[in-house]
Amino acid sequence: MRWLSLLALLLAGCPEPVVEIPPPPTSDLPTAVDPGARTGLHRLTATQWRNAAQDLTGVRWEGELPADFELHGFVAVGAAETTVAPLDLELYEAAAWGVAEQTVADAAARDALFGCAVEPSPGAGELDAAPCVRAWLASFLSAAWRRPASGEEIDRLVTVFDAVTEGSGSTVLATQALVAAGLLAPDFLFRVELGVDTDDPELRLLSDHEAAARLAFTLTDRPPDAALRARASEGGLATAAAMQEQATLALATDQSTGPLTAFFAQWTDLDALWLTAKDPTQHPEWTPDLQAAMATEAELLFRDVALADGGDLRDLFTTRTGRITPELAAVYGVAPPGSLDPVELPPERAGLLTRGAFLAPNAHATLTSPTRRGKFVRSRLLCQDIAPPPEGVIASLDALPDEGTLRDRLEQHMADPACELCHSQMDPIGFAFEHFDPVGAWRDTDNDLPVDASTDLDGDPIASGAELGAALAEHPRLPRCVTSNAWRHLLGHLEQGYERDPLFASEDAFEASAYNVPSLMHAITGTLPYRTVSIPEGGACDVEASTRACATACGEGTETCVAGAWVGCSAARPIEELCNGIDDDCDGSIDEAVVEACTVNGRPGLRSCSDGVWWDCAPVVADETCNGLDDDGDGLVDEELAVDLRAVVGADLSGQHPDCDPDVWTHSPHCRAATHRACATTACATTGIGPVAWEADGTGGIVCLDDTVATIQWTTYTALGAQHGGCHQGNRFGPDCNAAINRWCSAQGLTTGYGPIENSGDDAVVACNPGATVIHTTYTEVSAYGELCNGASERMGPDCDAAFHHYCRAQGYATGHGPLENSGDNAHVACIGAL
Amino acid sequence: MARRWTRKPLSRRTVLKAAVVGGVATLPLPLLDVMLDSTGEALAGGEALPDRFGLWFWGNGVRPEQWVPPTQGANWTPSVELEPLADLVPYVSVVSGCAIQTATHPHHSGMTGILTGKPYHHLGVVRDTIVSTFADQSVDQIAADAFSGMAPFRSIEAGVTWFRGTDEGSTFQHLSHNGPNNPNPSEYDAVRLYERLFALPTEGARTFARRSVLDALDWKGQRLHGFLGTNDRVRMEQYLDSVRALEVRLEQETGLCEATEPTTAYPDVGGQEQIEQKNAVMADLIATALACDLTRVFSVQFSTCGSGVIMWPVGAANSLHQICHDEGLPQPTVHAATVFTMEQFAVFLRTLRDTPEAGGNLLDSCSILATSELADGWTHSNSDFPILVAGKGNGRLAGGVHVRATNGRNTSDAVLTALRGGGVDVASFGGEGGYSTSVVSEILS
């Protein structure tokens, strides 16, 4: 590959830093996939479509609609990514015409709809329906598309009306066509969010109507009602205060109950009940009625507990109330109730985790599954990820011996260190539920041996499933996990790094409200991300070749709309200040802060400028840096720079890789590559780590390493994948690859390493750190050097880069990086060099 | 990704329309000898006989030691798992020994690797696995591109067993894809599929009104397109393609085809899925759709990637995927389920074989790729992949040949051969590690 050979040239010791290494090739396929992108199109869910069509026409469509697409646990996330395939469009078309035909069944209905004469009166000449149709269309389309229709849009549909009337002789059919068109347009099928410009070129807010639609659909699964539409028309809706005011109103209605319960059902994956099979001879009680009863019990539990006035979500995990059918009562071993009114269940049934909706889907057909039950709690309720099994492991129970309880067998399994790292995070939680069989009924024995449900949750002793629920309710990670899931549901995408602060603020509000779910939703509606959209590339404009005024710091000019974007502002642009007696950067000062390196008596120096004239060169005494000069005047050039902290400016890194924006201290493969190149292209270094914020105020730079502490190695994702199955071409960067590279370098006898620093296709270039000291520490310890690197807020990322660096320095090393391996609170760190 | 829609008149319809005397025709539409030229190998108007490409997919792989035929070359001897195809050997070639070149993750790599020839598009992680979608269009849509405009339906997607996972992405839910997160969902309900394919349109005015609306939507979608970001433009493009597809269908003559309307969609009975019945009725509907030239491309998702289908006909009481993980070797239930699956595939092929056309039968003109997403559900191996190529491809496919590939040959070679066998003359299939320009020439005539 051409780029690898260029890299080889570079690393052969050639000091010329000018060879351009192309970035790794990206797919040339325009992808409709990026869970992080703030999409502008959210396809209505089936429920939302039915509600919106009914609000518009009064007709309730009960026929088939395209299936909702669940992604990352939520239909709202899928809706932001999914498309309208040919089959989907046919279903929508059938539904649109079905509603249209019921809305305008005959001439009388048509007249009632328009409220004015459509047919020509007797004796009249041409059919003069246009003003009546046009007036009705304006209001109908504005309601259907949830924003005012343009004259052009109305004109286009009037021509449809006229064409169908003329072609068929029936204005009833033509009217149906208009209703169908309104329901089939992308503006109805999708929640369209284009946004509006603001004074800040980095910020694009929802329009008032778009904000109203987002509030209404996300909180009530309905389009905005008349009151909300009127409020939107007044303007100024896309502010925190106005959004929250409307959110309060929406959350106070019954119409929010269903959507909030649907959020709960998706968060806890109640659908799994329908995909779970049990052995019919061992568990004949496992029927569709029982599955439905368990789903209903869970949903009503949420409604009763969390959605009550001032309801506290945590009570969901401790309450003993339940609404159960006779089938479910039999499973729980209680008397069958006469109705679905709430009953008090025995103490062992305290909380959702002791009920069928959790116990049954997270178990096998004939066996329970402590691993699955534990995994559910970790990933769904605490948002803690567990890595996939190591490569080559067959995840089968047959590999375990047959004697003993399932717990005994799993505990033996955990004796293997390769399994223990991850299973110790899951199985102990699941042991607490071993008194509940695969369907959820109580049992005292397993394999004819007494069940032992005593266990611990991260060190805190637990005696039963009910106690684990109580401990979960108090777990510090629970509020963040609920908030993250609510965020995905309301925003329609996975939470992004730049959304961290508003997400944390929403979590604070959730806690302050005593863990009230409607209050959490209310808090999120007040955040900035909830009312912004992404900025289309270049800044959008609609009229080709139109111009508008533009300005820079140096003056005014005009720019032109070309292919949908504003380009070519003619005003003079500020440039870097030069020593020329001119205000080059248009900041009002002349030749300010212009300094230049110079040499005096063979030593490096600096000189400054005033009014176009250079002052004398003054010698500089500075810390030794990699510049071929004797900076500290000790007679040695570039000495002791094995680990060299270099403050860099943004242009240094974005100049090495255009996708690295170090002003955001981005933690990304692009900045990794940029850092590597920034170091490797200088004489004293082989590679580098960074950007790293090594100062208390969050500034820093990059840490260059020379060949005594780092060595470049070429490998492949195939080889890395053999070290950790989660590291591969589909997942090139992240904690799995950190672990894979650590193990790979170790296997080469090079202790540890990091990467990828360059990657393309299957090729991966990593940096190994022979002689580094690998320390097994914990996030708890490391967080003392960087508050946010605590394993909960962050396990790998910019805050952790800084924290690991500081941690290593506190241990007496020059720098460090990590995590190498991580699980739970454990984190392995590589510390490099000496202070 | 915009596709050009051509509107070619179909000479069979022209012939039949001329033969109708008053009223709506309900003539069955076999390819009549009168429509052929003097050689019997082309239509009277000089057009070639229709080529058809199909996909038939089942989840969770096979038992490789029971699948690979014991003999190689022509007239292969069936293995135990291929015994149900014994009477169809002349129509079916087996390619064994190939490997997915881009294998990095169980199920996901195999599914996307065999159907797109590329790695999957990674979306995230869930439980102990990942979420993915296809990085590109699936092989059936490559054929659909090539045959675009030749029939009212660009392609037909049918499903048999209803199990569908929900949290590993579209790779685990859908078979045919137009692109990432852009699947063509399968129709699982035979009654709805019948109505979609064969229901007579109402009188012309309504159809005219429907087309007028679709035309306005095309304009609407184009207007919106310019305001969207890149990702959303791709999604809007798919909406427009779907609008245009329906417009084209409405412009073509339909309703001249006689098909038997299913009276039921075969809901589960006593908690048991009516797998054989659903398989048979879907086979009938697809055969009729092909015979009536409603489509040239079809796919049948018999079971999904990693399917949790309960194979109760062979005594299973649990998810097949789970059994693949739990059952000790030699995995008798998994083996029995594979035999049962091949019996259903045999029913499908026989339905096509037993539908006469142009002096032969439908299967003569088809090239059908039948495969799974794994070789073996126990080890999740992507080597020695199960691949069948059925049909004669209008003479391009030899049929009845077992090729045992060596050295982990690229599965994309076999998929490319299936495309070429169906008359889809693409230079290559797949990309990145799975890229191929080679064919398995032994299965071509």
Side-chain angles (χ1 to χ4, degrees), chain A residues 247-339:
Chain A
T248 302
L249 293 173
L251 289 165
T253 68
D254 288 339
Q255 288 171 345
S256 68
T257 305
L260 288 175
T261 307
F263 157 72
F264 163 76
Q266 290 170 59
W267 173 42
T268 55
D269 196 20
L270 292 184
D271 273 352
L273 278 166
W274 303 106
L275 300 175
T276 303
K278 303 294 173 188
D279 187 299
T281 46
Q282 290 195 26
H283 293 289
E285 70 277 20
W286 185 250
T287 62
D289 283 346
L290 183 62
Q291 291 160 289
M294 289 181 173
T296 303
E297 182 199 17
E299 288 181 352
L300 291 177
L301 195 67
F302 176 78
R303 241 176 240 210
D304 290 339
V305 169
L307 297 187
D309 261 341
D312 184 331
L313 178 72
R314 297 173 306 171
D315 292 345
L316 197 62
F317 299 103
T318 57
T319 180
R320 281 169 55 183
T321 56
R323 295 178 190 255
I324 58 181
T325 65
E327 294 90 354
L328 194 47
V331 171
Y332 291 167
V334 299
S339 71

Side-chain angles (χ1 to χ4, degrees), chain A residues 29 31 33 39-41 79-80 82-84 90 93 101 152-153 184 187 372 375 396 398 537 728 730, chain B residues 120 122-123 127 135 180 182-183 196 206 210 220 223 230-232 235 239 242 249 317-318 322 325-326:
Chain A
L29 180 78
T31 173
V33 175
T39 176
L41 297 178
T82 195
T83 55
V84 177
E90 290 183 29
E93 203 240 4
E101 284 161 356
E152 199 182 358
E153 289 169 329
L184 207 45
D187 310 74
R372 282 200 179 167
K375 180 67 161 84
S396 158
D398 257 335
E537 304 85 66
H728 50 74
Chain B
Y120 52 77
H122 184 255
L123 294 178
R127 296 182 283 112
N182 190 352
R196 189 173 175 226
R206 190 170 180 279
R210 290 171 69 191
K220 193 77 199 61
R223 296 276 302 154
T230 315
N231 294 350
D232 291 326
R235 299 165 68 206
Y239 166 85
S242 299
R249 267 194 40 223
N318 195 1
Q322 191 63 45
H325 280 275
D326 294 348

Side-chain angles (χ1 to χ4, degrees), chain A residues 669-694:
Chain A
H670 306 128
C671 282
R672 242 190 208 174
T675 300
H676 162 72
R677 297 172 194 176
C679 293
T681 54
T682 63
C684 318
T686 287
T687 180
I689 310 170
V692 176
W694 61 60

Side-chain angles (χ1 to χ4, degrees), chain A residues 627-670:
Chain A
N627 55 10
L629 301 173
D630 176 19
D631 305 284
D632 57 6
D634 66 351
L636 301 168
V637 172
D638 294 344
E639 76 283 6
E640 289 185 15
L641 293 176
V643 176
D644 183 17
L645 275 57
R646 300 183 191 177
V648 296
V649 296
D652 294 333
L653 289 186
S654 56
Q656 296 292 348
H657 193 305
D659 293 327
C660 174
D661 181 3
D663 293 328
V664 193
W665 295 119
T666 307
H667 181 92
S668 70
H670 306 128

